[in-house]
Amino acid sequence: MIPKPIQEKGIISKLLEQGIKILLIKECKKIDNIKIDIVSSSKQIIKGEIQKLNIIAENINYKGFLFDEFELESNYLRMYINLLNRELLFKNNPKIKFKISLSQNSIRTVLLCNSWNWIGNMISKEILDQDNFEDIVISNGKLLMKISERDININQEEPVNIYSYKGKLYLENKNNHKSFQVPIEDKIYIEDVNIENNLIIISAKSTVSL
């Protein structure tokens, strides 16, 4: 949740917030309803320091990954802006906390697209005993993955549990108890996963490297 500012923001904070918004739009194929809040004095910002940064956005397409909702929070960032390349760079590998919300349609679109369908196929082979990913359903707080019987025009749904363990994200077929570790960068630590309002909500922390 973006905190309410104690006092009116200075022009430098507003300019920096607008600059970050422009950079996000540049990096994402799509991003809506961006809200940015910087908590820092003008003097600190001029020195390249931000005491607190909050970002909220919706309907994000970042390199083919789709997020319905995204929230980020970070404390104490040391940064500078490369005006030539319009890049925001960090000097101190800041730690961030973030939360992403994924709908059935977003996950389905990613796992069926040409760039990322290999992940869906890996999941299917590991926990569903079939070569190709078929479909996914999120309904009434449950995650289901569809399978198709070979040579039979019948689709079935397998209940799947999604959970975190020691910072990693896992999917487990509840019927055969086979599990699959979702490939994620090592620097990302998954803290919590749950399903609410037919959205998979993942909370995590990470560092941002140069």
Side-chain angles (χ1 to χ4, degrees):
M1 181 77 67
I2 290 182
K4 294 181 179 180
I6 297 175
Q7 57 186 7
E8 186 177 352
K9 286 182 177 294
I11 185 66
I12 294 178
S13 292
K14 292 179 179 178
L15 286 173
L16 183 56
E17 288 173 357
Q18 187 62 28
I20 293 174
K21 182 176 180 179
I22 292 171
L23 290 172
L24 289 174
I25 293 171
K26 174 190 171 186
E27 288 294 321
C28 299
K29 292 182 180 180
K30 181 182 179 182
I31 184 168
D32 297 329
N33 301 327
I34 306 171
K35 297 179 182 179
I36 300 171
D37 184 56
I38 290 174
V39 179
S40 206
S41 68
S42 296
K43 183 177 180 180
Q44 289 170 326
I45 293 173
I46 291 172
K47 292 169 59 179
E49 298 177 355
I50 297 176
Q51 293 303 307
K52 191 176 186 66
L53 172 67
N54 294 278
I55 299 174
I56 295 177
E58 298 177 350
N59 304 322
I60 301 119
N61 182 335
Y62 178 70
K63 296 182 179 180
F65 284 101
L66 306 181
F67 308 120
D68 292 79
E69 298 173 1
F70 176 82
E71 298 181 24
L72 178 146
E73 177 182 315
S74 183
N75 295 314
Y76 190 66
L77 300 91
R78 297 182 63 237
M79 56 81 196
Y80 65 94
I81 297 178
N82 186 328
L83 296 176
L84 182 63
N85 297 324
R86 295 183 179 181
E87 293 179 336
L88 179 65
L89 303 174
F90 299 101
K91 298 179 180 180
N92 62 330
N93 294 340
K95 295 179 180 180
I96 63 171
K97 290 186 175 182
F98 62 92
K99 181 167 69 175
I100 58 174
S101 300
L102 307 170
S103 67
Q104 168 184 301
N105 288 337
S106 295
I107 298 171
R108 176 192 294 135
T109 300
V110 171
L111 295 182
L112 288 175
C113 76
N114 291 333
S115 298
W116 302 108
N117 62 5
W118 61 271
I119 296 178
N121 293 339
M122 282 179 63
I123 294 171
S124 294
K125 288 178 181 178
E126 291 291 330
I127 69 173
L128 302 177
D129 295 322
Q130 67 176 20
D131 291 334
N132 298 314
F133 171 76
E134 293 286 339
D135 201 359
I136 191 169
V137 175
I138 303 174
S139 179
N140 298 321
K142 297 179 181 179
L143 176 62
L144 305 170
M145 298 189 73
K146 290 188 176 182
I147 61 173
S148 58
E149 294 289 341
R150 293 178 180 176
D151 303 322
I152 303 176
N153 191 22
I154 298 177
N155 286 329
Q156 296 180 343
E157 295 176 344
E158 292 281 317
V160 175
N161 183 32
I162 182 169
Y163 65 97
S164 63
Y165 178 69
K166 292 186 177 181
K168 305 299 181 182
L169 184 64
Y170 292 88
L171 297 169
E172 181 187 30
N173 187 323
K174 291 184 178 180
N175 288 334
N176 61 23
H177 302 294
K178 292 183 177 181
S179 62
F180 174 78
Q181 181 181 325
V182 180
I184 297 176
E185 289 186 70
D186 289 339
K187 65 182 180 180
I188 297 176
Y189 187 96
I190 306 298
E191 295 185 308
D192 187 44
V193 186
N194 58 77
I195 299 177
E196 295 180 9
N197 300 320
N198 290 333
L199 292 171
I200 294 177
I201 301 174
I202 301 173
S203 299
K205 61 184 179 181
S206 179
T207 57
V208 179
S209 303
L210 289 175

